[in-house]
Amino acid sequence: MGIFLDIHQFACLNDNYGYLVHEPGSGETAAIDTPDAERYLAEADKRGWSITQVWNTHWHPDHAGGNLRLKEATGCRILGPSGEAAKIPGLDQPLKGGDVAVLGEAVASVIDVPGHTLGHIAFHFAGQSAAFVGDAVFALGCGRVFEGTMDMMWQSLKRVKALPAKTQLYCAHEYTASNARFAVTIEPENKALKDYVAWIDKQRSNGLPTVPALLERELATNPFLRADLPAMQLAMGFPGNASATFGEIRGRKDRF
């Protein structure tokens, strides 16, 4: 039997999600990214949890901007991408793909997912079927390629695609409704996508989140994860070339 983790998700800033991951055996709690330090402190306090660690996925201010405030308030250790060590405030433990992050009795594998930023990492708790993917992947979307190349981002998405299908992807933003509007322009006849869009509309009309996203469903509907399909490559004009197909889809989304 795997280690039980209590994952608390909450909205913060305009469209970010905050995450607190609590390991009851040790009492340790990790803040996954720090978009709003005061909100994290308040959410932890409501649950009687003490934040002992911060795990950053990348350096952007809506992910690492609250680091120093949380460290000041709690004395927590800060873990983050070694490739962005100079940009992660208060970093104590640099991490790269293949490393592990330890929270009490729970262990997460670190996955390199550069592209959105050059050092972006994700955290995968295999026993919990949970992956914290920051801005690398969204429900029906992926992060803009700000610092890397299209091929780099595609290789990162392939690492996410290789996780077990039942993995829940804890994305950092509620972008799903707008992503859905774009996705149907790429695959208008995708039945699984149509069903997903209907569910998304219902969730959002009721003020409910669409995150986490089940990887199995994303593999069937998320155009960015489907660039290796021959039909998708043909439709995008790059038969036999997954990386170029991904780049075409990403470019279309950027202009959408």
Side-chain angles (χ1 to χ4, degrees):
M1 182 177 261
I3 302 296
F4 171 79
L5 292 173
D6 192 347
I7 298 172
H8 174 51
Q9 173 178 330
F10 51 95
C12 53
L13 301 184
N14 292 327
D15 51 35
N16 281 73
Y17 282 120
Y19 297 106
L20 291 170
V21 182
H22 182 70
E23 197 281 287
S26 64
E28 285 223 56
T29 302
I32 309 294
D33 288 325
T34 61
D36 183 340
E38 300 307 327
R39 183 69 191 277
Y40 272 69
L41 290 168
E43 292 293 324
D45 186 59
K46 277 195 278 189
R47 279 153 187 78
W49 298 348
S50 297
I51 296 172
T52 56
Q53 300 187 41
V54 165
W55 294 9
N56 290 134
T57 60
H58 63 295
W59 70 266
H60 284 165
D62 64 324
H63 291 263
N67 281 15
L68 296 182
R69 171 68 182 117
L70 285 184
K71 191 172 218 178
E72 173 191 46
T74 68
C76 61
R77 284 178 53 75
I78 297 175
L79 292 67
S82 60
E84 299 174 4
K87 296 181 176 181
I88 303 291
L91 183 67
D92 296 300
Q93 184 179 345
L95 298 168
K96 62 183 185 305
D99 290 342
V100 296
V102 179
L103 184 70
E105 298 300 314
V107 178
S109 302
V110 178
I111 306 168
D112 282 327
V113 285
H116 180 67
T117 65
L118 288 178
H120 201 308
I121 58 175
F123 300 94
H124 177 224
F125 287 102
Q128 192 80 2
S129 298
F132 294 89
V133 294
D135 286 356
V137 186
F138 301 120
L140 288 181
C142 75
R144 282 181 180 263
V145 183
F146 285 131
E147 297 182 4
T149 64
M150 293 297 177
D151 184 63
M152 178 187 289
M153 191 69 169
W154 172 244
Q155 299 305 321
S156 295
L157 294 183
K158 283 171 63 177
R159 295 185 192 107
V160 175
K161 281 164 59 74
L163 295 174
K166 298 301 182 185
T167 303
Q168 295 282 359
L169 304 177
Y170 288 85
C171 321
H173 293 272
E174 182 58 68
Y175 289 161
T176 318
S178 60
N179 287 342
R181 289 192 291 273
F182 170 74
V184 296
T185 70
I186 300 296
E187 288 190 290
E189 301 308 315
N190 184 329
K191 174 66 164 57
L193 177 58
K194 290 178 183 178
D195 292 344
Y196 195 2
V197 171
W199 176 83
I200 291 161
D201 289 344
K202 185 176 180 181
Q203 288 290 103
R204 296 310 293 155
S205 67
N206 290 318
L208 298 172
T210 63
V211 174
L214 180 66
L215 177 57
E216 185 173 47
R217 183 158 60 177
E218 294 301 310
L219 293 173
T221 58
N222 185 329
F224 299 98
L225 299 184
R226 294 166 62 77
D228 52 355
L229 298 179
M232 181 71 83
Q233 294 170 2
L234 198 59
M236 294 298 106
F238 295 96
N241 191 329
S243 180
T245 298
F246 167 77
E248 174 66 19
I249 298 168
R250 185 63 256 180
R252 292 187 186 192
K253 178 65 164 69
D254 292 345
R255 298 185 296 273
F256 183 67

